């Protein structure tokens, strides 16, 4: 309630104006394009789909290779924990913008943009899974067994199913992230989607969207573990050609270009002058935090409204099927893609970004809460549907709903920053502007600010999150 009250107080400071002339007409044209997709207008869609899968697969695999050794050190090294928190707090699109300056529009940029933040995520989640394994098998090993023997014989077999399940889930996230990399120019499915939407070719955009949804829905079949080696081999062919990496250029970018010249010269007065010249830093941070707060509260309200639509305790089979369809559509569509569509409808303001964050994250939370509610057996027969919701189910699922909301708060803030790439005046807007105008020192400094904000919000959400709330296994998600 405190977050809701704070959001209500701050709403007047948010730019929620509608700047388009005919939003309903534009929405009608988009719906018509989705209903009657122009399959014949697509040019080489399977190449874009194959590249999307290849980037997601190899990026996820690279994240596993980098993150798994870090997971073994995660609980024992504060430096490893801090490094992982930093790399995962920066969104994949920002990593792509950074590597784009060195590797260009190549597969290496896409793979690095996925592998680095995923390594931090895998390290944290794998470490948590390993910590939850029972101690009895480790204690039963012969005295003097080394750390490697304990891990191979007593920890890994018990945690393998959860590790594999979370890796599959992260690969699905990698597919969505791979699509989004098209928004910075990489030729994945998102590049063709953005082009079709910007040029008003909504029937072609509808066909591309249906391809994306079919790709996600058919993942259990084409993503079977027996097919993974074939996909990896085919992915290498699709990812080429590989760029020639200039080591001197890379070292100059890392050691000089991304740092202020005054800092490298030791001129602290010049550093202060450089900081003052950074445009709209205060308003950009304020808009980022404000949009993150509004997105979190909006996700809470959307989840409260939508979860009964997919629960077995309400409605009939047809309404539950429709409710599941709505939730799958909203949670499968990345926030950036939703925000891009709303931006075309409503114009550049915080409103499209707010709607995208609230709908996507609210649908994801509602889906998990509905599954939790389906496992509850009501104990008071004869109640009306509203009574069952208010007096039996909502009090029991609400702690888990709040825990999920605070779990998503850090993710919402990460997405808030990148929505600036669509023209919303958050930190992402000025980060992309810094890269566009070759002001790498400014862009990198704003990336550090973004990472610091994400780490702070993640720490705050962990303190606010209910400790004993029943949650679904994150690996199953």
């Amino acid at each position: 309630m405190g977050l809701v009250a704070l959001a209500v107080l701050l709403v007047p400071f948010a730019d929620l104006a509608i700047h388009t002339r005919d939003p309903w007409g534009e929405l009608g044209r988009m719906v018509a394009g989705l209903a009657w997709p122009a399959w014949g207008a697509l040019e080489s869609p399977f190449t874009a789909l194959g590249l999307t899968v290849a980037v997601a697969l190899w990026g996820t695999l690279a994240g596993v290779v980098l993150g798994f050794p870090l997971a073994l050190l995660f609980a024992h090294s504060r430096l490893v924990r801090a490094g992982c928190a930093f790399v995962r707090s920066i969104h994949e699109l920002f990593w792509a913008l950074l590597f784009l300056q060195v590797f260009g529009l190549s597969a290496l940029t896409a793979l690095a943009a996925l592998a680095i933040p995923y390594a931090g995520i895998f390290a944290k989640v794998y470490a948590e899974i390993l910590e939850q394994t029972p101690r009895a098998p480790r204690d039963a090993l012969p005295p003097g067994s080394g750390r490697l023997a304990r891990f191979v014989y007593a920890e890994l077999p018990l945690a393998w199913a959860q590790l594999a399940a979370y890796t599959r889930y992260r690969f699905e996230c990698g597919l969505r992230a791979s699509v989004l990399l098209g928004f910075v120019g990489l030729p994945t499915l998102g590049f063709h989607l953005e082009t079709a939407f910007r040029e008003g070719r909504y029937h072609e955009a509808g066909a591309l969207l249906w391809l994306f949804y079919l790709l996600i829905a058919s993942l259990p079949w084409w993503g079977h573990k027996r097919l993974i080696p074939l996909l990896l081999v085919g992915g290498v062919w699709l990812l080429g050609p590989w760029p020639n990496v200039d080591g001197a250029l890379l070292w100059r970018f890392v050691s000089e270009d991304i740092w202020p010249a005054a800092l490298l010269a030791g001129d602290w007065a010049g550093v202060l002058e450089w900081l003052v010249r950074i445009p709209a830093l205060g308003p950009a941070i304020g808009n980022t935090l404000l949009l993150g707060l509004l997105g979190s509260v909006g996700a809470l309200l959307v989840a409260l409204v939508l979860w009964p639509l997919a629960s077995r305790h309400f409605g009939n089979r047809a309404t539950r099927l429709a409710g599941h369809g709505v939730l799958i559509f909203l949670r499968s569509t990345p926030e950036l893609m939703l925000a891009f569509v709303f931006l075309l409808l409503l114009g550049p303001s915080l409103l499209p970004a707010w709607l995208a964050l609230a709908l996507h994250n609210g649908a994801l939370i509602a889906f998990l809460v509905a599954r939790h509610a389906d496992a509850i057996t009501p104990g008071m027969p004869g109640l009306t549907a509203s009574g069952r919701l208010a007096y039996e189910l909502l009090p029991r699922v609400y702690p888990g709903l709040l825990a999920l909301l605070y779990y998503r708060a850090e993710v919402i803030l990460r997405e808030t920053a990148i929505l600036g790439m669509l023209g919303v005046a958050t930190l992402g807007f000025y980060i992309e502007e810094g890269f566009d105008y070759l002001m790498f020192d400014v862009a990198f400094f704003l990336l550090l600010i973004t990472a610091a904000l994400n780490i702070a919000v993640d720490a705050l959400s962990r303190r606010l999150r209910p400790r004993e709330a029943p949650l679904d296994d994150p690996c199953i998600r």
Side-chain angles (χ1 to χ4, degrees), residues 184-254:
V184 296
L186 295 166
T188 62
L189 192 62
F191 175 79
H192 302 281
L193 260 174
E194 185 198 21
T195 303
F197 270 118
R198 282 194 186 277
E199 296 178 359
R201 295 181 277 119
Y202 296 137
H203 294 280
E204 183 179 338
L208 291 167
L209 276 176
W210 278 115
L211 280 179
F212 170 68
Y213 295 133
L214 289 173
L215 180 72
I216 297 294
S218 60
L219 178 59
W221 291 278
W222 62 261
H224 194 275
K225 60 183 179 181
R226 295 179 180 175
L227 297 177
I228 295 299
L230 294 177
L231 294 174
L232 287 171
V233 173
V236 172
W237 178 70
L238 287 172
L239 290 173
W242 299 93
N244 294 321
V245 179
D246 187 342
L249 177 63
L250 177 61
W251 175 249
R252 175 185 170 182
F253 182 75
V254 172

Side-chain angles (χ1 to χ4, degrees), residues 327-472:
L327 295 184
I328 290 173
F329 171 78
L330 291 175
R331 70 186 178 91
S332 298
T333 307
E335 295 99 321
L336 188 64
M337 196 178 298
L338 281 175
F340 183 70
V341 173
F342 286 128
L343 184 71
L344 295 176
L345 291 174
L346 306 173
S349 71
L350 293 185
L351 184 57
W354 185 14
L355 290 174
L357 291 169
L359 290 173
H360 174 83
N361 291 280
L364 176 60
I365 295 171
F367 172 77
L368 298 173
V369 170
R371 281 205 323 196
H372 178 206
D374 287 347
I376 297 174
T377 302
M380 292 185 286
L383 284 178
T384 61
S386 59
R388 192 183 311 120
L389 172 65
Y391 296 107
E392 275 211 87
L393 295 175
L394 187 57
R396 297 167 74 175
V397 302
Y398 191 70
L401 188 153
L402 274 188
L404 287 167
L405 177 70
Y406 286 123
Y407 173 79
R408 296 291 301 178
E410 185 261 344
V411 179
I412 290 174
L413 192 67
R414 289 175 72 240
E415 300 291 344
T416 295
I418 68 158
L419 292 178
M421 295 174 62
L422 299 179
V424 182
T426 63
L427 281 167
F429 176 81
Y430 296 100
I431 291 173
E432 185 182 32
E433 185 180 63
F435 282 119
D436 287 343
Y437 290 99
L438 305 182
M439 297 185 297
F440 300 133
D441 52 347
V442 174
F444 185 67
F445 175 73
L446 296 178
L447 279 177
L448 295 180
I449 296 292
T450 303
L453 290 178
N454 278 275
I455 292 172
V457 169
D458 186 38
L460 178 62
S461 65
R462 283 200 305 269
R463 295 179 66 89
L464 295 175
R465 191 158 55 227
R467 298 296 178 187
E468 304 300 327
L471 285 171
D472 282 356

Side-chain angles (χ1 to χ4, degrees), residues 20 34 52 63 65 117-118 149 158 176 181 186 221 244 256 301 307 324 335 362 388 403 411 434 442 464:
T20 52
L34 193 62
T52 301
V65 171
Y118 278 24
L158 294 175
R176 288 191 285 268
L181 290 176
L186 295 166
W221 291 278
N244 294 321
E256 297 181 21
L301 299 179
W307 77 261
H324 274 291
E335 295 99 321
R388 192 183 311 120
V411 179
V442 174
L464 295 175

